[in-house]
Amino acid sequence: RSQACPKELRPTHRSRFKCAAPPTLALFSMLALRNSRTTCALVGLSLVATAHGFALSSTLQPLRSFRLVSTKAASYKNANPSFATPRALSLRSRPGRVQMSSSTTVDWAKELLTDDKDNNVTPYIANLVGRDLHLKKAHPLNIIKTKIEQYFTERDSEFQPKDSLYPIVTPQQCFDDLLIPEDHQSRRKSDTYYLNQDKLLRTHTSAHQTELLREGVQKFLCTGDVYRRDEIDSSHYPAFHQMEGVKILKECEGMEDREEWVKMCSEDLKDHLEGMVDAVFGPVEKRWVDAYFPFTEPSFELEIYYNDDWLEVLGCGVIQQPILDKCGMESSHGWAFGLGLERLAMVLFDIPDIRLFWTDDKRFMKQFKDGEITKFEPYSKYPACYKDIAFWLPDEGWEENNFAELVRNVAGDLVESVALVDKFENPKKGKTSHCYRINYRAMDRSLTNEEVDQLQGVVREKSAAELSVELR
């Protein structure tokens, strides 16, 4: 998860926005092709932007932004009587081959909200799946996606865009195939949305790499919505969009001198990505930083000097050979990169709040035109309403992400941020106390004290009942 100043390395999860909260970079690991005749595949890291928790469907319609999709959430209606009716159906095909068409409707509520003991998907999250913002014409995310795709396909017509893949994957696809350690934080239920032990909502688009490589796709750009349990602020949201690219180098096929093929892959990778950055941002100063990611070796981060500051744009590297070997590509080598669309869009369009990407408010969408990058003009700034909640933590099992998730489920897009403002240890009690400040702020109107008090009351009640905290 990320922000601007310290950087923290968190494979497969977490990344922040370098301007509005410390950016971290999440990695995309890339997998390789099944076809041994292909040459080089490079794993890219998904350097997602802070925007990695992204907003809800109707941000600018606060009380309606959390649209219930199941009776599982019926209790929330009391806290917010103006919640809209559920939007359960959307177009997204079920799994079959890697590339999905949109010919089949999916009832996401039925698909995601089950009684399985390991299921931690909420109606709030189910309401986001299938929105496909990256496919919506004239939307900032689609504008960025299209520019990047045009650059690659015009440079090399063999690059294939893949942007409609099924978001439900297996732990094997999401973690094991990418060499993510079994004890890694990203596998925990506090960080990832599980349907059951065998299925989860993808945490990065790298989850499709082995599928695509085994299908024989040697050059591709894979874009889609990804999901992670995360904190709440203007640059984080539990759903966001990633793009990653993979290229298998034919000229590296069969090469046994590792030093030689790594050099060729790295040079080709950097040449492609420097050109891509210029195509999106215009000619800018760039620098390469050595990095570490479990799926690539060597690994790099690309930074550009933009708006008087250095900005991390993406992570990338040469695909780890064991990944390719498991795809039947023992003699192939290649590269990959990963980036977060929200991260770039927030910088290029001057969009200050991640929730705006998900709004249906015409005042937002009418500002953008297909193929053009224009600066966002704020149309409202309503007052914040701060409410504090303090409690003693349980003796074990406390995860801050669970509290953030609880707040989201109660108040939806009415919450702008949740911040830990006080923490202390009581040696006599042997307990730890946390105090969180919740900032309630709608984006289309002023909230009343009565409705905020009602929401805060539900947050307190559910915190004690579901998180086993002792309210203070």
Side-chain angles (χ1 to χ4, degrees):
R1 313 187 172 189
S2 51
Q3 199 178 359
C5 285
K7 301 189 263 197
E8 109 187 16
L9 219 52
R10 265 240 181 123
T12 71
H13 261 56
R14 320 260 185 235
S15 72
R16 301 192 177 186
F17 183 32
K18 191 158 193 167
C19 292
T24 74
L25 85 110
L27 31 101
F28 285 111
S29 32
M30 311 239 143
L31 292 164
L33 308 177
R34 167 188 92 203
N35 210 325
S36 55
R37 62 181 184 186
T38 42
T39 28
C40 225
L42 231 185
V43 165
L45 322 159
S46 127
L47 168 80
V48 258
T50 138
H52 83 21
F54 311 69
L56 253 197
S57 47
S58 56
T59 302
L60 299 188
Q61 293 181 322
L63 290 181
R64 301 183 181 182
S65 62
F66 176 38
R67 304 182 211 171
L68 303 178
V69 292
S70 166
T71 54
K72 227 172 141 181
S75 59
Y76 296 133
K77 293 182 179 179
N78 294 328
N80 195 338
S82 51
F83 282 147
T85 54
R87 179 187 54 77
L89 292 177
S90 63
L91 287 178
R92 186 80 75 85
S93 67
R94 294 178 178 276
R97 289 178 60 82
V98 175
Q99 181 70 37
M100 304 299 168
S101 66
S102 296
S103 59
T104 306
T105 57
V106 178
D107 185 337
W108 290 110
K110 182 178 180 180
E111 193 84 358
L112 299 172
L113 304 176
T114 70
D115 294 328
D116 189 281
K117 63 182 180 61
D118 293 308
N119 187 301
N120 63 349
V121 181
T122 63
Y124 181 92
I125 297 302
N127 190 55
L128 300 177
V129 181
R131 294 287 304 280
D132 292 336
L133 301 183
H134 61 293
L135 302 179
K136 189 175 181 181
K137 293 298 182 183
H139 190 284
L141 300 182
N142 178 263
I143 294 172
I144 299 295
K145 169 184 175 290
T146 302
K147 281 186 174 291
I148 297 174
E149 289 178 343
Q150 286 177 345
Y151 163 77
F152 278 98
T153 55
E154 288 175 3
R155 176 167 178 161
D156 185 344
S157 61
E158 292 184 6
F159 270 99
Q160 299 182 36
K162 303 288 183 179
D163 56 18
S164 301
L165 304 186
Y166 202 63
I168 298 174
V169 298
T170 66
Q172 178 76 35
Q173 294 171 282
C174 200
F175 304 121
D176 299 337
D177 285 348
L178 305 177
L179 309 182
I180 306 300
E182 291 188 4
D183 61 350
H184 192 270
Q185 173 74 24
S186 62
R187 292 176 179 257
R188 299 179 185 176
K189 290 181 66 176
S190 60
D191 283 44
T192 295
Y193 294 103
Y194 284 89
L195 282 67
N196 52 49
Q197 286 187 339
D198 302 318
K199 293 182 180 179
L200 54 91
L201 282 171
R202 63 188 170 205
T203 63
H204 52 181
T205 48
S206 300
H208 300 290
Q209 285 179 16
T210 49
E211 301 175 58
L212 291 168
L213 293 174
R214 287 168 179 157
E215 286 276 321
V217 187
Q218 300 183 20
K219 299 176 185 179
F220 61 83
L221 300 168
C222 181
T223 307
D225 43 337
V226 298
Y227 301 85
R228 300 176 188 168
R229 292 164 65 96
D230 206 348
E231 60 218 67
I232 301 176
D233 59 34
S234 62
S235 61
H236 289 77
Y237 203 75
F240 56 104
H241 299 77
Q242 286 186 352
M243 172 188 284
E244 72 182 30
V246 170
K247 178 183 177 181
I248 302 303
L249 277 65
K250 294 180 180 178
E251 55 269 38
C252 292
E253 181 67 31
M255 292 179 62
E256 297 182 358
D257 186 336
R258 186 179 189 280
E259 184 176 350
E260 185 179 354
W261 60 256
V262 165
K263 181 176 183 292
M264 291 180 64
C265 286
S266 299
E267 290 177 350
D268 190 70
L269 167 67
K270 292 181 178 180
D271 182 62
H272 276 74
L273 295 183
E274 288 181 2
M276 183 270 287
V277 164
D278 286 341
V280 174
F281 288 88
V284 291
E285 184 179 356
K286 311 169 191 69
R287 69 183 182 191
W288 289 95
V289 180
D290 290 337
Y292 165 77
F293 305 103
F295 349 98
T296 53
E297 176 57 38
S299 301
F300 313 98
E301 297 167 13
L302 176 57
E303 299 182 353
I304 64 173
Y305 195 71
Y306 191 78
N307 289 341
D308 300 321
D309 195 10
W310 285 100
L311 171 71
E312 294 177 59
V313 175
L314 53 81
C316 59
V318 177
I319 298 176
Q320 288 275 18
Q321 197 58 41
I323 295 177
L324 299 177
D325 293 347
K326 291 181 179 179
C327 291
M329 301 177 64
E330 294 83 355
S331 61
S332 298
H333 313 288
W335 55 253
F337 72 88
L339 55 81
L341 294 182
E342 279 85 352
R343 176 184 183 76
L344 301 187
M346 291 180 81
V347 173
L348 288 167
F349 292 90
D350 279 349
I351 295 175
D353 194 310
I354 194 91
R355 295 176 297 171
L356 282 164
F357 289 112
W358 297 82
T359 184
D360 292 327
D361 196 308
K362 293 181 180 179
R363 292 175 295 178
F364 178 77
M365 286 304 303
K366 73 179 182 181
Q367 296 190 34
F368 309 107
K369 294 182 179 180
D370 200 23
E372 298 181 14
I373 295 179
T374 54
K375 299 299 182 183
F376 171 67
E377 295 286 343
Y379 46 82
S380 63
K381 186 66 173 178
Y382 294 94
C385 183
Y386 296 98
K387 297 289 182 180
D388 289 354
I389 177 173
F391 44 71
W392 298 107
L393 302 186
D395 293 334
E396 58 183 19
W398 171 255
E399 291 284 356
E400 196 167 77
N401 281 353
N402 292 339
F403 177 65
E405 194 73 10
L406 183 148
V407 174
R408 282 195 183 99
N409 291 335
V410 172
D413 281 346
L414 292 180
V415 175
E416 181 174 278
S417 63
V418 175
L420 178 64
V421 294
D422 187 44
K423 174 182 178 180
F424 73 92
E425 307 281 343
N426 186 318
K428 292 184 177 179
K429 286 191 171 186
K431 289 181 174 291
T432 300
S433 173
H434 280 189
C435 179
Y436 291 90
R437 181 157 296 159
I438 303 176
N439 176 10
Y440 294 90
R441 189 204 301 266
M443 301 181 73
D444 68 340
R445 64 185 179 83
S446 294
L447 299 176
T448 66
N449 284 330
E450 290 75 18
E451 61 187 320
V452 172
D453 285 344
Q454 189 178 23
L455 291 171
Q456 183 72 0
V458 177
V459 168
R460 289 178 59 84
E461 176 185 337
K462 289 187 172 293
S463 295
E466 299 178 12
L467 302 181
S468 300
V469 299
E470 181 183 342
L471 296 174
R472 298 182 59 212

